[in-house]
């Protein structure tokens, strides 16, 4: 028989006993005893700071949820007490162009994480001060922590002190330093940006911007800044580079088949001799990019609605042989864009 709880457990997670709650991450801040406040600032017209008492005496709710740590333990039915994040955010009157929030801890390394506004609206995180009817302990992020349901637990920041509203995302500590996935959905196993590598290997790669000859199938670096990335000869099939900044990246002889490069900034990038079959370049900036001998069967440069076209400099980077590898609609776009006849 199926374990009735199994369907509640995301892939490759293990349940810890109900009375166990592992401690993960950095130590509590050395100045934990200083009075606690919470501020929301950045892109808003009425930034505000609440004292702990103000928060705890204001509107509050209980929410019962399951938590899932990226290191493969889960815990069911945590009863969390606090205030919905959206309720606090509304009070500061966010600007209409706000798309992200960065959460910053009072901690010795200014630990942080971030969420998109879309995710905040969908999953309704809480600013919490109680779990199972008792105040959050110092070790578990008391007096105030973010609780983000439906994401790996690294999106639940301990010792929350400041929230900054942003137009552009600012990667958090684990996401930036250790290659943790920025989207963090446990049901999709969005754990690390490269699932085959250790945290340490990933952070070395990202810091050196060098993945030459690496095999990183499903590499997922959506939205990241990776200008000058060295990726010559890398195996990057099915990778996600959507909206990433990859100015002058070197993808010569790389395998990028079915990779998502839509809306990426690929100004001056080199794709000579690369395998780009099925790669998606819709809306990408391809000014001064080179494609000598690249294989382009099934690659796309403009979407079906003919709206999100790749940008090129004035010269056509593709040979007529390369253009003939594309579908009819894609070919039509190139012919029109560069005034070439059939
Ligand atoms: N300030 C801060 N918050 C943090 C971390 C951290 O290192 N510092 N680690 C994260 C990670 S990876 C996890 S799994 C959870 C762990 O919370 P717990 O120790 O209460 O189980 O906190 C998250 N929030
Ligand atoms: Mo974690």
């Amino acid at each position: 028989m199926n374990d009735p709880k199994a369907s509640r457990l995301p892939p490759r997670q293990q349940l810890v006993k109900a009375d166990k709650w592992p401690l993960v991450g950095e130590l509590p801040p050395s100045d934990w005893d200083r009075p606690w406040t919470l501020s929301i600032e950045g892109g808003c017209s009425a930034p505000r700071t609440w004292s702990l008492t103000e928060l705890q005496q204001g509107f509050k709710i209980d929410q019962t949820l399951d938590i899932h740590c990226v290191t493969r333990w889960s815990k069911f039915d945590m009863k969390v007490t606090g205030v919905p994040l959206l309720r606090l955010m509304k009070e500061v009157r966010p600007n209409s162009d706000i798309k992200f929030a960065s959460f910053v801890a009072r901690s010795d390394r200014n630990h942080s994480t971030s969420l998109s506004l879309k995710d905040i609206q969908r999953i309704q995180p809480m600013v919490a001060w109680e779990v199972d009817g008792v105040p959050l302990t110092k070790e578990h992020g008391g007096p105030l922590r973010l609780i983000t349901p439906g994401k790996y637990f690294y999106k639940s920041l301990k010792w929350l002190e400041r929230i900054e509203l942003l137009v552009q995302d600012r990667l958090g500590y684990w996401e930036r330093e250790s290659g943790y996935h920025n989207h963090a959905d446990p049901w999709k196993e969005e754990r690390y940006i490269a699932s085959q590598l250790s945290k340490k290997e990933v952070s070395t790669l990202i810091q050196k911007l060098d993945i030459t000859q690496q095999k990183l199938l499903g590499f997922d670096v959506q939205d990241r800044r990776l200008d000058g990335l060295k990726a010559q000869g890398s195996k990057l099939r099915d990778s996600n580079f959507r909206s990433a900044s990859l100015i002058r990246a070197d993808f010569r002889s790389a395998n990028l088949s079915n990779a998502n490069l839509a809306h990426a900034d690929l100004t001056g990038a080199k794709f000579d001799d690369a395998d780009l079959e099925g790669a998606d370049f819709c809306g990408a900036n391809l000014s001064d990019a080179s494609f000598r001998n690249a294989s382009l069967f099934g690659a796309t440069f403009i979407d079906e609605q003919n709206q999100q076209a790749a940008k090129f400099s004035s010269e056509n980077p593709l040979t007529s042989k390369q253009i003939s590898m594309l579908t009819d609609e894609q070919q039509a776009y190139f012919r029109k864009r560069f005034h070439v006849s059939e």
Side-chain angles (χ1 to χ4, degrees), residues 306-332:
N306 270 280
Q307 280 165 5
Q308 321 265 349
K311 266 204 279 180
F312 296 95
S313 19
S314 52
E315 233 165 89
N316 181 354
L318 305 189
T319 62
S320 52
K321 192 176 146 216
Q322 283 175 317
I323 295 177
S324 70
M325 296 173 177
L326 306 174
T327 62
D328 290 349
E329 300 86 64
Q330 299 291 319
Q331 292 196 26

mmCIF file of all heavy atoms in Angstrom, residues 306-332:
data_model
loop_
_atom_site.group_PDB
_atom_site.id
_atom_site.type_symbol
_atom_site.label_atom_id
_atom_site.label_comp_id
_atom_site.label_asym_id
_atom_site.label_seq_id
_atom_site.Cartn_x
_atom_site.Cartn_y
_atom_site.Cartn_z
ATOM 1 N N ASN A 306 5.486 36.231 -33.212
ATOM 2 C CA ASN A 306 6.306 37.230 -33.906
ATOM 3 C C ASN A 306 6.523 38.494 -33.091
ATOM 4 O O ASN A 306 6.476 39.592 -33.603
ATOM 5 C CB ASN A 306 5.641 37.610 -35.239
ATOM 6 C CG ASN A 306 6.137 36.680 -36.324
ATOM 7 O OD1 ASN A 306 7.224 36.855 -36.848
ATOM 8 N ND2 ASN A 306 5.351 35.655 -36.615
ATOM 9 N N GLN A 307 6.712 38.342 -31.810
ATOM 10 C CA GLN A 307 6.868 39.514 -30.959
ATOM 11 C C GLN A 307 8.241 39.608 -30.308
ATOM 12 O O GLN A 307 8.829 40.671 -30.245
ATOM 13 C CB GLN A 307 5.776 39.544 -29.893
ATOM 14 C CG GLN A 307 4.480 40.087 -30.467
ATOM 15 C CD GLN A 307 3.297 39.800 -29.587
ATOM 16 O OE1 GLN A 307 3.441 39.269 -28.491
ATOM 17 N NE2 GLN A 307 2.120 40.130 -30.066
ATOM 18 N N GLN A 308 8.725 38.477 -29.817
ATOM 19 C CA GLN A 308 9.976 38.493 -29.067
ATOM 20 C C GLN A 308 11.121 38.074 -29.984
ATOM 21 O O GLN A 308 11.524 36.931 -29.981
ATOM 22 C CB GLN A 308 9.904 37.479 -27.913
ATOM 23 C CG GLN A 308 8.570 37.441 -27.240
ATOM 24 C CD GLN A 308 8.556 38.339 -26.033
ATOM 25 O OE1 GLN A 308 9.584 38.830 -25.590
ATOM 26 N NE2 GLN A 308 7.386 38.570 -25.490
ATOM 27 N N ALA A 309 11.622 39.028 -30.755
ATOM 28 C CA ALA A 309 12.679 38.684 -31.695
ATOM 29 C C ALA A 309 14.048 38.895 -31.065
ATOM 30 O O ALA A 309 14.226 39.790 -30.245
ATOM 31 C CB ALA A 309 12.558 39.545 -32.943
ATOM 32 N N ALA A 310 15.009 38.060 -31.470
ATOM 33 C CA ALA A 310 16.391 38.288 -31.048
ATOM 34 C C ALA A 310 16.884 39.572 -31.700
ATOM 35 O O ALA A 310 16.445 39.936 -32.797
ATOM 36 C CB ALA A 310 17.260 37.109 -31.467
ATOM 37 N N LYS A 311 17.805 40.256 -31.010
ATOM 38 C CA LYS A 311 18.383 41.492 -31.559
ATOM 39 C C LYS A 311 19.738 41.178 -32.174
ATOM 40 O O LYS A 311 20.545 40.466 -31.576
ATOM 41 C CB LYS A 311 18.596 42.511 -30.441
ATOM 42 C CG LYS A 311 17.444 43.470 -30.265
ATOM 43 C CD LYS A 311 17.931 44.761 -29.603
ATOM 44 C CE LYS A 311 18.044 44.554 -28.100
ATOM 45 N NZ LYS A 311 18.488 45.676 -27.321
ATOM 46 N N PHE A 312 19.987 41.735 -33.352
ATOM 47 C CA PHE A 312 21.279 41.531 -34.008
ATOM 48 C C PHE A 312 21.909 42.877 -34.328
ATOM 49 O O PHE A 312 21.211 43.887 -34.389
ATOM 50 C CB PHE A 312 21.087 40.774 -35.328
ATOM 51 C CG PHE A 312 20.563 39.384 -35.152
ATOM 52 C CD1 PHE A 312 19.206 39.132 -35.245
ATOM 53 C CD2 PHE A 312 21.425 38.332 -34.885
ATOM 54 C CE1 PHE A 312 18.709 37.848 -35.069
ATOM 55 C CE2 PHE A 312 20.932 37.048 -34.718
ATOM 56 C CZ PHE A 312 19.573 36.800 -34.809
ATOM 57 N N SER A 313 23.222 42.900 -34.554
ATOM 58 C CA SER A 313 23.802 44.114 -35.114
ATOM 59 C C SER A 313 23.464 44.128 -36.606
ATOM 60 O O SER A 313 22.794 43.231 -37.104
ATOM 61 C CB SER A 313 25.312 44.175 -34.870
ATOM 62 O OG SER A 313 25.840 42.921 -34.567
ATOM 63 N N SER A 314 23.949 45.128 -37.320
ATOM 64 C CA SER A 314 23.462 45.303 -38.685
ATOM 65 C C SER A 314 23.806 44.130 -39.595
ATOM 66 O O SER A 314 23.117 43.845 -40.552
ATOM 67 C CB SER A 314 24.007 46.606 -39.258
ATOM 68 O OG SER A 314 25.407 46.619 -39.080
ATOM 69 N N GLU A 315 24.873 43.405 -39.287
ATOM 70 C CA GLU A 315 25.265 42.326 -40.187
ATOM 71 C C GLU A 315 24.632 40.982 -39.796
ATOM 72 O O GLU A 315 24.534 40.656 -38.623
ATOM 73 C CB GLU A 315 26.782 42.178 -40.183
ATOM 74 C CG GLU A 315 27.344 42.213 -41.595
ATOM 75 C CD GLU A 315 28.839 42.437 -41.554
ATOM 76 O OE1 GLU A 315 29.559 41.433 -41.491
ATOM 77 O OE2 GLU A 315 29.252 43.618 -41.553
ATOM 78 N N ASN A 316 24.261 40.230 -40.812
ATOM 79 C CA ASN A 316 23.669 38.917 -40.582
ATOM 80 C C ASN A 316 24.765 37.938 -40.118
ATOM 81 O O ASN A 316 25.707 37.686 -40.858
ATOM 82 C CB ASN A 316 23.051 38.443 -41.901
ATOM 83 C CG ASN A 316 22.393 37.086 -41.766
ATOM 84 O OD1 ASN A 316 22.494 36.450 -40.723
ATOM 85 N ND2 ASN A 316 21.733 36.656 -42.823
ATOM 86 N N PRO A 317 24.644 37.369 -38.927
ATOM 87 C CA PRO A 317 25.703 36.485 -38.434
ATOM 88 C C PRO A 317 25.611 35.066 -38.998
ATOM 89 O O PRO A 317 26.522 34.255 -38.797
ATOM 90 C CB PRO A 317 25.467 36.467 -36.920
ATOM 91 C CG PRO A 317 24.000 36.672 -36.776
ATOM 92 C CD PRO A 317 23.566 37.536 -37.935
ATOM 93 N N LEU A 318 24.518 34.737 -39.693
ATOM 94 C CA LEU A 318 24.329 33.364 -40.173
ATOM 95 C C LEU A 318 24.593 33.256 -41.670
ATOM 96 O O LEU A 318 24.307 34.179 -42.427
ATOM 97 C CB LEU A 318 22.901 32.883 -39.888
ATOM 98 C CG LEU A 318 22.405 32.950 -38.441
ATOM 99 C CD1 LEU A 318 21.061 32.231 -38.326
ATOM 100 C CD2 LEU A 318 23.401 32.329 -37.471
ATOM 101 N N THR A 319 25.113 32.133 -42.096
ATOM 102 C CA THR A 319 25.275 31.874 -43.525
ATOM 103 C C THR A 319 23.935 31.407 -44.092
ATOM 104 O O THR A 319 23.040 31.011 -43.338
ATOM 105 C CB THR A 319 26.310 30.760 -43.773
ATOM 106 O OG1 THR A 319 25.800 29.560 -43.154
ATOM 107 C CG2 THR A 319 27.659 31.117 -43.154
ATOM 108 N N SER A 320 23.812 31.426 -45.408
ATOM 109 C CA SER A 320 22.533 30.978 -45.984
ATOM 110 C C SER A 320 22.325 29.492 -45.697
ATOM 111 O O SER A 320 21.201 29.028 -45.540
ATOM 112 C CB SER A 320 22.473 31.279 -47.478
ATOM 113 O OG SER A 320 23.610 30.759 -48.111
ATOM 114 N N LYS A 321 23.400 28.739 -45.578
ATOM 115 C CA LYS A 321 23.260 27.318 -45.230
ATOM 116 C C LYS A 321 22.691 27.182 -43.817
ATOM 117 O O LYS A 321 21.816 26.354 -43.552
ATOM 118 C CB LYS A 321 24.633 26.638 -45.317
ATOM 119 C CG LYS A 321 24.541 25.127 -45.260
ATOM 120 C CD LYS A 321 25.905 24.461 -45.458
ATOM 121 C CE LYS A 321 25.979 23.195 -44.640
ATOM 122 N NZ LYS A 321 27.317 22.961 -44.091
ATOM 123 N N GLN A 322 23.165 28.001 -42.899
ATOM 124 C CA GLN A 322 22.635 27.943 -41.540
ATOM 125 C C GLN A 322 21.169 28.361 -41.493
ATOM 126 O O GLN A 322 20.359 27.734 -40.822
ATOM 127 C CB GLN A 322 23.464 28.848 -40.617
ATOM 128 C CG GLN A 322 24.805 28.219 -40.242
ATOM 129 C CD GLN A 322 25.669 29.180 -39.440
ATOM 130 O OE1 GLN A 322 25.750 30.356 -39.773
ATOM 131 N NE2 GLN A 322 26.301 28.670 -38.390
ATOM 132 N N ILE A 323 20.845 29.408 -42.250
ATOM 133 C CA ILE A 323 19.448 29.853 -42.256
ATOM 134 C C ILE A 323 18.550 28.743 -42.787
ATOM 135 O O ILE A 323 17.451 28.527 -42.290
ATOM 136 C CB ILE A 323 19.300 31.157 -43.076
ATOM 137 C CG1 ILE A 323 20.068 32.277 -42.368
ATOM 138 C CG2 ILE A 323 17.831 31.547 -43.244
ATOM 139 C CD1 ILE A 323 20.070 33.597 -43.091
ATOM 140 N N SER A 324 19.052 27.978 -43.758
ATOM 141 C CA SER A 324 18.216 26.923 -44.335
ATOM 142 C C SER A 324 17.970 25.764 -43.357
ATOM 143 O O SER A 324 17.132 24.909 -43.595
ATOM 144 C CB SER A 324 18.843 26.405 -45.634
ATOM 145 O OG SER A 324 20.016 25.688 -45.325
ATOM 146 N N MET A 325 18.698 25.736 -42.238
ATOM 147 C CA MET A 325 18.438 24.696 -41.221
ATOM 148 C C MET A 325 17.213 25.035 -40.372
ATOM 149 O O MET A 325 16.720 24.210 -39.620
ATOM 150 C CB MET A 325 19.622 24.601 -40.234
ATOM 151 C CG MET A 325 20.942 24.171 -40.816
ATOM 152 S SD MET A 325 22.198 24.348 -39.502
ATOM 153 C CE MET A 325 23.638 23.718 -40.348
ATOM 154 N N LEU A 326 16.744 26.279 -40.483
ATOM 155 C CA LEU A 326 15.672 26.727 -39.592
ATOM 156 C C LEU A 326 14.307 26.409 -40.179
ATOM 157 O O LEU A 326 14.181 26.114 -41.359
ATOM 158 C CB LEU A 326 15.802 28.234 -39.361
ATOM 159 C CG LEU A 326 17.167 28.716 -38.854
ATOM 160 C CD1 LEU A 326 17.205 30.233 -38.806
ATOM 161 C CD2 LEU A 326 17.467 28.120 -37.472
ATOM 162 N N THR A 327 13.282 26.497 -39.359
ATOM 163 C CA THR A 327 11.920 26.298 -39.870
ATOM 164 C C THR A 327 11.538 27.462 -40.784
ATOM 165 O O THR A 327 12.172 28.517 -40.755
ATOM 166 C CB THR A 327 10.890 26.266 -38.721
ATOM 167 O OG1 THR A 327 10.921 27.525 -38.054
ATOM 168 C CG2 THR A 327 11.179 25.140 -37.732
ATOM 169 N N ASP A 328 10.463 27.280 -41.534
ATOM 170 C CA ASP A 328 10.045 28.301 -42.502
ATOM 171 C C ASP A 328 9.824 29.659 -41.850
ATOM 172 O O ASP A 328 10.241 30.679 -42.371
ATOM 173 C CB ASP A 328 8.753 27.860 -43.213
ATOM 174 C CG ASP A 328 9.024 26.676 -44.149
ATOM 175 O OD1 ASP A 328 10.227 26.375 -44.372
ATOM 176 O OD2 ASP A 328 8.045 26.072 -44.622
ATOM 177 N N GLU A 329 9.151 29.665 -40.689
ATOM 178 C CA GLU A 329 8.850 30.954 -40.033
ATOM 179 C C GLU A 329 10.142 31.638 -39.611
ATOM 180 O O GLU A 329 10.294 32.853 -39.739
ATOM 181 C CB GLU A 329 7.990 30.763 -38.773
ATOM 182 C CG GLU A 329 6.632 30.107 -38.994
ATOM 183 C CD GLU A 329 6.714 28.589 -38.964
ATOM 184 O OE1 GLU A 329 7.058 28.054 -37.893
ATOM 185 O OE2 GLU A 329 6.455 27.949 -40.000
ATOM 186 N N GLN A 330 11.079 30.851 -39.096
ATOM 187 C CA GLN A 330 12.348 31.426 -38.645
ATOM 188 C C GLN A 330 13.138 31.963 -39.839
ATOM 189 O O GLN A 330 13.712 33.036 -39.787
ATOM 190 C CB GLN A 330 13.170 30.372 -37.893
ATOM 191 C CG GLN A 330 12.488 29.823 -36.643
ATOM 192 C CD GLN A 330 12.376 30.861 -35.535
ATOM 193 O OE1 GLN A 330 13.296 31.622 -35.299
ATOM 194 N NE2 GLN A 330 11.231 30.888 -34.868
ATOM 195 N N GLN A 331 13.108 31.201 -40.929
ATOM 196 C CA GLN A 331 13.799 31.651 -42.142
ATOM 197 C C GLN A 331 13.221 32.953 -42.650
ATOM 198 O O GLN A 331 13.955 33.878 -43.018
ATOM 199 C CB GLN A 331 13.660 30.590 -43.248
ATOM 200 C CG GLN A 331 14.398 29.317 -42.956
ATOM 201 C CD GLN A 331 14.567 28.455 -44.217
ATOM 202 O OE1 GLN A 331 14.580 28.962 -45.336
ATOM 203 N NE2 GLN A 331 14.718 27.165 -44.011
ATOM 204 N N ALA A 332 11.887 33.033 -42.606
ATOM 205 C CA ALA A 332 11.215 34.240 -43.102
ATOM 206 C C ALA A 332 11.665 35.452 -42.292
ATOM 207 O O ALA A 332 11.904 36.526 -42.850
ATOM 208 C CB ALA A 332 9.696 34.072 -43.012
#
